[in-house]
Amino acid sequence: MVSIDPAATPDDGAGRGGPAPASSRRRPQRARTRFGRVDGILLLDKPAGMSSNQALQRVRHLFCAEKGGHTGALDPLATGLLPICFGEATKIAGNLLGASKAYDTVARLGQVTDTDDAQGQVLCERNVQAYPIDRIDAALRSLTGRIQQRPPIYSALKRGGEPLYAKARRGEVVEVQAREVFVRTFELQAADDLLDDGRPLLRLHVECGSGTYVRSLVRDLGEALGCGAHVAQLRRLWVDPFREPRMWTIEQLQALAERDPRALQACLLPVEAGLVGLPRIDLTVEAAARFGQGQRLNKVPGPAGLVAVFSETGAVVGLAQLSRDGVLSPQRLFNWPTGGGLSPD
């Protein structure tokens, strides 16, 4: 087949010289992203107004990563830490989903919305009193520890394989059952905010376990005070094991990509960084090779439960369950390029 460059063809296809009609001219096409293998964890500082999936796709294209996923969605209103896993790091995303997290949030008192945040429709407005600090603290304490929490109707929780927010947007009546969650810390940071700009705002700090909705905490705080409330601002500060994260904004990543795409690699943490909270099992090279082929190993010393398995060379081989009687059973194996690990291709 002969390929013809239209720009070098002097006629319009009808034997007449001169430029082709506008309808037949080809518009210049954008160069398609060439995706390839990228392994590692990016600690993204998600901007407000963007969904977690939109943020994921933006950075995945910047890194030209063929495989990626985020660990625990942030609402479009929220900002802050969103760990992005590329390549082999996606195999530990589930572990990060269940990790403890911390947030700073601003509660707007006196307004109840259908989404429990500022992006929803206001359902009702109530008067806000000048609450004494001890009353606010008592309400916060009542929402600390192991509590029963009803998730927001507009949430990504699924029922019948469909997110609840999709049902709510269609106007369906959505019943959400309360479930147990763990709230380690729910504290007032600044009482002065109650008078800032004449708006009834409270600045709060939250540390909680997996499955906890800050929107629900703020909604329930408003009910405990008798005035109603919703989340006006939300920022995620950390996710275990990234307690002091070096986060990257999309703008910073874009600037690096424009200067030198290879510089983006320095923004990634290795897979091992996401495993520091797990007990570590070190195997000999021979035992690690057998484990990497999916074989169970016997008489392995260590704590029972989920463990991270390394070779004595320092390469991480996979995740495993270690039984009380020392049986090491592979759960997830890492498939590194030749020379990058011990798992088989």
Side-chain angles (χ1 to χ4, degrees):
M1 177 181 290
V2 178
S3 176
I4 300 176
D5 181 0
T9 306
D11 63 45
D12 61 3
R16 298 190 301 273
S23 60
S24 66
R25 295 175 196 162
R26 293 185 180 179
R27 294 181 180 178
Q29 295 183 347
R30 293 181 180 179
R32 298 185 65 178
T33 303
R34 297 183 62 181
F35 294 100
R37 176 165 184 160
V38 177
D39 298 309
I41 302 169
L42 173 71
L43 302 184
L44 179 68
D45 189 345
K46 189 191 85 67
M50 182 180 291
S51 73
S52 293
N53 187 60
Q54 288 172 331
L56 164 65
Q57 298 309 324
R58 284 281 298 275
V59 298
R60 192 171 73 87
H61 278 76
L62 286 174
F63 280 84
C64 301
E66 60 187 2
K67 185 178 181 181
H70 61 71
T71 62
L74 281 172
D75 295 329
L77 172 143
T79 66
L81 180 57
L82 181 67
I84 303 288
C85 293
F86 293 128
E88 291 299 283
T90 59
K91 295 178 179 178
I92 68 169
N95 300 83
L96 300 178
L97 280 170
S100 296
K101 305 170 180 67
Y103 303 83
D104 279 348
T105 186
V106 173
R108 167 62 158 91
L109 303 184
Q111 287 185 345
V112 176
T113 71
D114 57 357
T115 60
D116 299 324
D117 66 16
Q119 294 190 317
Q121 297 293 318
V122 176
L123 299 177
C124 67
E125 296 196 46
R126 303 173 188 163
N127 292 328
V128 179
Q129 305 172 21
Y131 300 108
I133 296 298
D134 58 352
R135 182 174 175 184
I136 296 173
D137 285 340
L140 292 169
R141 284 195 301 271
S142 71
L143 295 168
T144 303
R146 295 200 176 277
I147 63 171
Q148 291 292 314
Q149 183 184 79
R150 178 173 55 83
I153 293 174
Y154 285 85
S155 68
L157 292 176
K158 291 186 178 180
R159 179 175 298 166
E162 186 178 27
L164 294 183
Y165 66 75
K167 296 178 180 290
R169 286 172 182 168
R170 290 199 299 267
E172 296 183 20
V173 176
V174 179
E175 296 288 342
V176 185
Q177 298 296 319
R179 59 184 185 175
E180 185 178 83
V181 298
F182 178 65
V183 181
R184 181 181 302 278
T185 302
F186 195 19
E187 296 176 338
L188 180 67
Q189 287 190 313
D192 294 342
D193 287 358
L194 194 61
L195 303 176
D196 281 358
D197 301 322
R199 295 180 299 165
L201 304 176
L202 293 179
R203 196 169 299 275
L204 307 162
H205 179 73
V206 180
E207 295 181 15
C208 56
S210 175
T212 307
Y213 282 87
V214 177
R215 283 184 287 152
S216 293
L217 280 176
V218 169
R219 176 200 66 208
D220 294 345
L221 172 64
E223 294 307 309
L225 293 174
C227 62
H230 67 259
V231 167
Q233 298 175 28
L234 181 65
R235 180 168 179 78
R236 185 188 280 165
L237 305 176
W238 53 257
V239 175
D240 270 342
F242 310 112
R243 288 289 183 116
E244 297 180 356
R246 166 59 168 103
M247 290 185 270
W248 298 88
T249 66
I250 289 178
E251 291 76 17
Q252 289 172 327
L253 297 172
Q254 182 72 54
L256 282 174
E258 290 173 357
R259 289 202 301 268
D260 182 2
R262 293 171 298 181
L264 289 172
Q265 296 301 312
C267 303
L268 295 179
L269 298 176
V271 173
E272 294 89 329
L275 300 174
V276 296
L278 292 177
R280 173 170 172 159
I281 300 296
D282 289 282
L283 302 176
T284 65
V285 172
E286 179 185 2
R290 288 191 286 120
F291 176 87
Q293 293 169 354
Q295 297 181 26
R296 290 194 300 177
L297 304 179
N298 298 315
K299 298 181 180 180
V300 177
L306 186 66
V307 296
V309 180
F310 288 74
S311 166
E312 63 183 354
T313 63
V316 60
V317 188
L319 301 177
Q321 283 289 337
L322 183 60
S323 69
R324 294 184 182 278
D325 56 355
V327 178
L328 189 69
S329 301
Q331 299 294 306
R332 301 302 299 268
L333 298 175
F334 296 116
N335 183 19
W336 301 115
T338 302
L342 294 173
S343 298
D345 290 329

